[in-house]
Amino acid sequence: MPVYTRLRRKPTPTPTQETEETEETKEAEGTAGSQDTQGTRDADWKSRFRIQLARLTTHPSARWTLHLLAAALLLGALLLPNSLAALRPNRFTRIPAEAILGAVLVIALPRRPRIVVAALYGAGLGVLTVLNLLDMGFREYLGRGFNLVLDWGLLDDAQAYVADSMGGTAATAAAVGAVVLVVLLVVLMALAAVRLGNLLARHRSRATRGALLAATVWITCAALGLQISGVPVASERAAGALKVQTRRVVDTLRDEAAFAREARADTFGATPPGQLVPDLRGKDVLITFIESYGRSALEDPAIAPGVTRALDESTEALTKAGFRARSGWLTSATYGGSSWLGHSTALSGLWIDNQQRYRTVTAGDHLTLTKAFRKTGAWDTVGVMPGVQKGWPEAEWYGLDKVYDAFELGYRGPKFSWSTMPDQYALEAFQRLEHGRKRDRPLMAEIILTSSHQPWAPIPELVDWDALGDGSRFDAIQRAGKKPSDVIADTAESRQEYGKSIRYSVTSLTQWLERYGTDDTVLVFLGDHQPIARVSGANASRDVPVTIVAKDPKVLEKIDAWNWTEGLRPAKNAPVWKMSAFRDRFLTAYGSTPHPTEE
């Protein structure tokens, strides 16, 4: 009887079984060729990881979770506003027209063009999101949106500010983190758009009906003006953001050429030396900018009480010393930062509100107020710039014969966050190096006080003027002060410390004048801009106080027609001028004769 052997086909092992059998076999073979074995094990581990990942991502619930995350990412980017004040839930309850148009486009395209278009759509949306985030940051700190043409250089300044305030390691980490986040955002947006594009293509019929329905709803909402919580349901936010960025670029390019012509025309550009500021001959004229000294310091209820008290006390002390003062308001060309724009605007008589204008004017020979004094040949001109820590070629444009930067004032004490030295020390150094020594000619000085620069921690304290020495005694004050990290992200704390810093700067300056001022000293001091919006408020003006102080009554009589307020504190209804008007008004008030230059 024949014997039949029943043959069974050996089942094909699954990838996991293959891996397990391979490992068992290799373990049985001993340890020979350990390096090859380890490499194989690594490869097997990676293979198992890929298999598990594939199983995880192909699971229906996982797939739909990724689809929903991709949709949420794209919709959030399409509806994202460009200011923190507008970042509210009702902004994301809208229907974006750009999503409907994108869906229609990918539904209609074949596979390869669809993937390319979706990737470009997502990447472009990622770039637009970065610009919206930059807008948020610039509005929060500088009171304006980000300019694609002009503002890239300010990112370097931002890194330097973080390094000075928080340390080099924090600045490097922040820069690297920002770059990584930008790349990840663009890549994730592109991947999300490709994923949704493929999903719509797989369900083309239903996707087409859905797109038509969404378009109908959008058109209906737009026609009827339907709103949710005061915000229109039909949205074109992304297209509007792109339009704004494009308009900024076009306006900037047009402005560059127009401003170059404006800068060549100068009301006093051809005035002979003998006809410039004749009524101030023999006077030491000091123009001092106080960092972030804005209108909010005098009028914001949370900040003003301490500042106004300090101004009133200083007015009383100066009056006893024989000085009188008049004060008004100027509207600064900048806000929250970029102090050099405020300095150059006040001294040039031109509205310099962006970096391109600044580069244009400083490359020319437009007459600054400080240069007007040098042009007469009757004054020595110096600059006290404790915030300058590198080459500063603009000194020649300003008309300064000598500039004392952070390294030339003899300071050996600690930095106070961004500020390289306390204002009290900088003023005492100016007295020692220039104002207090015997001179053949009077002095015109531009002085920048930096102790009130953000983040307002730590803040120096006033010490005995006779004991300032080389500044080493500030070590203990700096160590005992608050850390920038404790203040920079706390709005209430920032406002409180900002007010303290303004009191310190103003009191340092007025005490210096009371101590060292003479019958021939004329002090002009003003703010360069308001503090950042987080401190001054989202709707704060750009006004800054400006004051002229002198002992000689004739000096203030020359500006009687200005109707400025008596004392160091301008009244709320005191005149407000654009900062660019100050140079011509000052030159005219003190006897200068206009001789214009042509474009």
Side-chain angles (χ1 to χ4, degrees), residues 153 214 231 254 331 335 494 504:
V231 177
R254 289 176 178 170
T331 301
Y335 178 97
S494 292
Y504 169 80

Side-chain angles (χ1 to χ4, degrees), residues 478-507:
Q478 192 266 355
R479 288 195 300 270
K482 296 184 178 181
K483 297 180 180 179
S485 57
D486 296 334
V487 172
I488 195 168
D490 188 321
T491 297
E493 192 76 9
S494 292
R495 290 159 70 84
Q496 179 179 341
E497 298 306 303
Y498 163 71
K500 290 181 181 178
S501 73
I502 294 297
R503 296 201 300 270
Y504 169 80
S505 294
V506 169
T507 305

Side-chain angles (χ1 to χ4, degrees), residues 387-408:
V388 172
Q389 302 180 62
K390 56 185 178 181
W392 194 55
E394 292 94 327
E396 178 57 31
W397 177 74
Y398 277 107
L400 301 174
D401 298 318
K402 169 67 178 175
V403 172
Y404 294 93
D405 62 18
F407 310 108
E408 296 180 276

Side-chain angles (χ1 to χ4, degrees), residues 48-363:
R48 289 197 302 272
F49 176 77
R50 286 195 297 268
I51 292 169
Q52 295 299 326
L53 181 63
R55 287 176 176 175
L56 179 63
T57 56
T58 54
H59 192 279
S61 62
R63 283 202 313 271
W64 282 106
T65 299
L66 289 176
H67 293 334
L68 291 174
L69 288 174
L73 185 65
L74 293 178
L75 288 173
L78 287 168
L79 296 172
L80 183 70
N82 65 345
S83 70
L84 288 175
L87 198 60
R88 299 189 299 271
N90 63 351
R91 296 285 175 158
F92 300 95
T93 58
R94 311 168 72 192
I95 303 173
E98 301 85 358
I100 299 171
L101 293 174
V104 170
L105 186 59
V106 296
I107 290 171
L109 290 173
R111 180 178 178 278
R112 287 187 178 179
R114 181 183 71 245
I115 293 174
V116 172
V117 169
L120 291 175
Y121 179 91
L125 193 54
V127 171
L128 188 60
T129 301
V130 172
L131 293 178
N132 282 329
L133 294 175
L134 285 170
D135 266 357
M136 287 184 191
F138 271 67
R139 291 181 189 281
E140 181 73 3
Y141 281 86
L142 301 181
R144 61 175 179 82
F146 178 76
N147 190 303
L148 269 168
V149 177
L150 304 176
D151 287 337
W152 296 109
L154 295 183
L155 299 181
D156 289 337
D157 291 327
Q159 184 181 7
Y161 162 69
V162 173
D164 288 331
S165 302
M166 310 292 289
T169 302
T172 301
V176 172
V179 171
V180 170
L181 286 175
V182 167
V183 172
L184 282 176
L185 181 62
V186 173
V187 171
L188 285 175
M189 287 288 188
L191 292 175
V194 170
R195 169 174 281 274
L196 291 182
N198 290 338
L199 176 65
L200 294 175
R202 285 197 300 272
H203 305 280
R204 194 179 301 273
S205 177
R206 281 182 288 176
T208 301
R209 291 194 298 272
L212 290 174
L213 177 62
T216 302
V217 172
W218 190 95
I219 292 171
T220 302
C221 291
L224 298 177
L226 295 181
Q227 296 185 355
I228 295 179
S229 300
V231 177
V233 174
S235 166
E236 298 174 282
R237 171 73 192 101
L242 183 61
K243 183 179 178 180
V244 167
Q245 294 291 345
T246 303
R247 186 169 62 247
R248 283 181 194 162
V249 171
V250 173
D251 290 347
T252 298
L253 297 176
R254 289 176 178 170
D255 177 74
E256 183 178 350
F259 181 73
R261 293 191 298 270
E262 181 183 350
R264 289 193 293 269
D266 191 341
T267 305
F268 291 92
T271 299
Q275 297 179 22
L276 286 169
V277 287
D279 296 340
L280 289 174
R281 299 300 164 104
K283 304 292 186 185
D284 289 327
V285 181
L286 318 177
I287 299 179
T288 303
F289 290 92
I290 298 178
E291 171 66 36
S292 300
Y293 179 37
R295 188 163 191 149
S296 295
L298 280 70
E299 296 184 356
D300 189 300
I303 304 169
V307 175
T308 55
R309 183 169 58 251
L311 289 171
D312 292 342
E313 291 171 354
S314 295
T315 298
E316 184 178 350
L318 288 175
T319 301
K320 290 180 179 179
F323 289 94
R324 293 174 57 220
R326 298 281 183 84
S327 300
W329 302 105
L330 299 176
T331 301
S332 178
T334 185
Y335 178 97
S338 301
S339 301
W340 57 93
L341 302 182
H343 305 163
S344 55
T345 295
L347 297 180
S348 70
L350 295 169
W351 190 252
I352 304 173
D353 61 347
N354 62 56
Q355 193 63 17
Q356 182 57 53
R357 286 189 165 212
Y358 181 77
R359 286 193 292 262
T360 297
V361 72
T362 54

Side-chain angles (χ1 to χ4, degrees), residues 401-482:
D401 298 318
K402 169 67 178 175
V403 172
Y404 294 93
D405 62 18
F407 310 108
E408 296 180 276
L409 292 168
Y411 184 65
R412 298 293 179 268
K415 290 182 66 176
F416 283 78
S417 188
W418 185 90
S419 181
T420 59
M421 66 190 70
D423 292 343
Q424 186 185 12
Y425 179 90
L427 289 163
E428 180 66 24
F430 167 63
Q431 176 66 23
R432 181 183 72 250
L433 296 168
E434 290 290 349
H435 186 261
R437 67 184 181 88
K438 292 183 178 180
R439 320 185 57 85
D440 297 328
R441 297 185 294 184
L443 187 66
M444 148 54 67
E446 179 188 356
I447 304 171
I448 311 298
L449 300 182
T450 61
S451 290
S452 50
H453 194 288
Q454 60 176 303
W456 308 297
I459 300 171
E461 297 175 2
L462 285 164
V463 300
D464 185 348
W465 286 84
D466 293 323
L468 280 167
D470 64 0
S472 299
R473 68 168 301 164
F474 286 102
D475 283 329
I477 296 174
Q478 192 266 355
R479 288 195 300 270
K482 296 184 178 181

